[in-house]
Amino acid sequence: MNKMEFTYDAYRKLLLTFKNNGYQDIFYQETDMTKKQVILRHDIDNSIEDALKIAEIEKEVGMKSTYFVLIGTEFYNLFTKRSKEMIEKIIAYGHSVQLHFDVTNYEIGSKGDLIQMIEKE
């Protein structure tokens, strides 16, 4: 049984494997089931710094990805100057940044509550 190595170098090799096998990196809205495509996505649950490292590797190999950020988390503050600068770098590298909505941050009793909280974030 092969074990997956979870390192930055192993991730770089994985991306290069996609590229070398003819896969096109796409965003969700670009899906075309007739082509060899890969959608790269990352939930930034713990560290924007680590996400930035991944984004740099993707840029280095010429691939794009979507990063999902949390508004309410114990691990980072999205609204600090440093966090905003890192997110801006991720975007400047050609990646997409989207909302990662965490339903467990709210008391939601109905579909209307859910929609209201999503719109609030």
Side-chain angles (χ1 to χ4, degrees):
M1 175 188 338
N2 292 338
K3 292 183 181 179
M4 179 65 188
E5 182 183 351
F6 292 98
T7 65
Y8 293 121
D9 190 49
Y11 185 61
R12 183 180 291 105
K13 288 176 185 174
L14 175 65
L15 296 176
L16 291 171
T17 299
F18 284 130
K19 287 190 79 148
N20 294 336
N21 284 285
Y23 283 86
Q24 176 189 9
D25 54 311
I26 62 163
F27 292 129
Y28 287 97
Q29 66 273 18
E30 300 170 321
T31 304
D32 180 345
M33 298 303 280
T34 65
K35 297 180 181 176
K36 289 174 74 172
Q37 299 176 318
V38 61
I39 297 173
L40 301 172
R41 66 166 321 270
H42 308 281
D43 292 346
I44 305 178
D45 289 342
N46 298 308
S47 172
I48 298 175
E49 291 89 353
D50 290 345
L52 181 58
K53 291 176 191 172
I54 295 290
E56 289 168 348
I57 292 168
E58 292 165 342
K59 178 184 182 284
E60 173 189 313
V61 300
M63 297 187 82
K64 62 187 177 187
S65 184
T66 301
Y67 288 79
F68 291 90
V69 295
L70 290 164
I71 299 233
T73 177
E74 303 287 327
F75 299 104
Y76 60 84
N77 180 345
L78 189 58
F79 300 104
T80 66
K81 181 180 181 200
R82 179 161 160 66
S83 291
K84 287 190 270 188
E85 289 171 348
M86 287 186 287
I87 294 297
E88 287 170 1
K89 278 187 181 178
I90 290 171
I91 293 168
Y93 292 160
H95 304 300
S96 174
V97 175
Q98 304 293 323
L99 175 65
H100 179 188
F101 183 77
D102 185 357
V103 70
T104 63
N105 284 339
Y106 302 99
E107 295 292 324
I108 296 176
S110 69
K111 183 178 177 181
D113 291 344
L114 176 63
I115 291 169
Q116 182 181 8
M117 293 300 106
I118 292 170
E119 288 173 348
K120 178 181 176 185
E121 284 199 10

